[in-house]
Amino acid sequence: MLNWTISPDYVPYPDAIAEMESHVECMIAGTAGERIWLLEHPALYTAGTSANIVDLVDADRFPVYTSKRGGQYTYHGPGQRIAYTMLDLNKRGKDVRKFVQQLEDWVIATLAEFGVEGERRAGRVGVWVVRKDKPKTALGAYREDKIAAIGVRLRKWISFHGISINVEPDLEHYSGIVPCGIAQHGVTSLVDLGLPVSMTDVDIVLKAKFAEVFGD
């Protein structure tokens, strides 16, 4: 049975990693079930397995943690909903590409509930929003901002890490890194898009849409 837990206080990144590691080992041993953990971190940067040090613009601004998740540099902080997904792909199908696509579908379906059209982009993991409300680029294209990040790791086909959705973080905090190594695009949030959405609102929709996408 899938267990959902929500942490009301900010969870330090090392504590979250330790708890995820422990839970995944218990899942591998058959003593724990699947879990979705919803939380917020204090302001910090993480470097995924593909991170390039040149993308760390301000190393002294917030704590920087090396992460075993896939991806490059990203920011976590208050106002951002983290969903750590500890799922058993032995039972859900041993297909990494499909799993990442399902995570993207989950985010896109959640955003749609708030009237936001999230989109995929080839070569850019995560979910993006076309900003028709902003001036076009010099080439006449609409600007695109990232609203959600995805980074996962598998151990014996058990997943951990997961997704993050910008609800109402301080977007200026992203200026200390090149988010996900992509300098030519920006970041946004639900509140930045003019939507007075609370974390509780997002949690309710995440749970409902997870069932639709993953069949739970």
Side-chain angles (χ1 to χ4, degrees):
M1 180 177 177
L2 178 62
N3 175 259
W4 289 77
T5 53
I6 302 176
S7 292
D9 302 317
Y10 299 148
V11 179
Y13 190 76
D15 294 355
I17 296 303
E19 185 165 340
M20 273 197 294
E21 291 273 359
S22 176
H23 191 85
V24 167
E25 288 303 319
C26 288
M27 287 179 66
I28 291 171
T31 58
E34 294 184 313
R35 180 186 180 192
I36 304 290
W37 185 13
L38 304 178
L39 58 98
E40 293 173 82
H41 286 308
L44 58 93
Y45 298 130
T46 67
T49 55
S50 302
N52 187 333
I53 191 62
V54 300
D55 292 334
L56 182 59
V57 179
D58 187 354
D60 298 323
R61 185 166 191 184
F62 298 123
V64 181
Y65 296 98
T66 299
S67 174
K68 295 180 181 178
R69 62 161 174 80
Q72 302 182 54
Y73 280 101
T74 194
Y75 165 78
H76 293 314
Q80 183 189 74
R81 175 49 87 212
I82 305 289
Y84 285 136
T85 55
M86 289 157 271
L87 301 176
D88 188 353
L89 300 194
N90 292 288
K91 300 176 180 178
R92 295 175 177 272
K94 297 179 179 180
D95 188 331
V96 178
R97 185 184 298 270
K98 177 184 176 182
F99 177 57
V100 172
Q101 186 175 61
Q102 286 178 311
L103 292 174
E104 291 173 338
D105 287 341
W106 183 26
V107 172
I108 289 169
T110 298
L111 295 174
E113 195 70 14
F114 300 106
V116 175
E117 186 177 359
E119 300 179 3
R120 294 183 178 87
R121 286 294 179 266
R124 290 192 252 145
V125 177
V127 177
W128 300 78
V129 176
V130 176
R131 299 304 302 268
K132 295 182 179 179
D133 58 323
K134 288 187 173 184
K136 292 183 178 180
T137 67
L139 298 177
Y142 286 114
R143 299 179 185 275
E144 297 178 353
D145 288 345
K146 191 170 189 176
I147 194 169
I150 296 172
V152 297
R153 181 173 172 80
L154 299 178
R155 180 177 300 155
K156 295 187 177 179
W157 292 102
I158 304 296
S159 73
F160 53 121
H161 296 278
I163 67 171
S164 63
I165 299 176
N166 288 343
V167 181
E168 192 179 6
D170 186 337
L171 297 178
E172 200 277 328
H173 288 177
Y174 280 91
S175 65
I177 58 171
V178 177
C180 302
I182 301 171
Q184 65 269 38
H185 300 289
V187 289
T188 190
S189 69
L190 288 169
V191 171
D192 181 55
L193 292 172
L195 301 167
V197 177
S198 72
M199 202 67 76
T200 299
D201 294 333
V202 172
D203 291 346
I204 291 169
V205 177
L206 277 171
K207 191 169 185 178
K209 296 304 176 182
F210 184 93
E212 291 182 12
V213 172
F214 288 88
D216 290 51

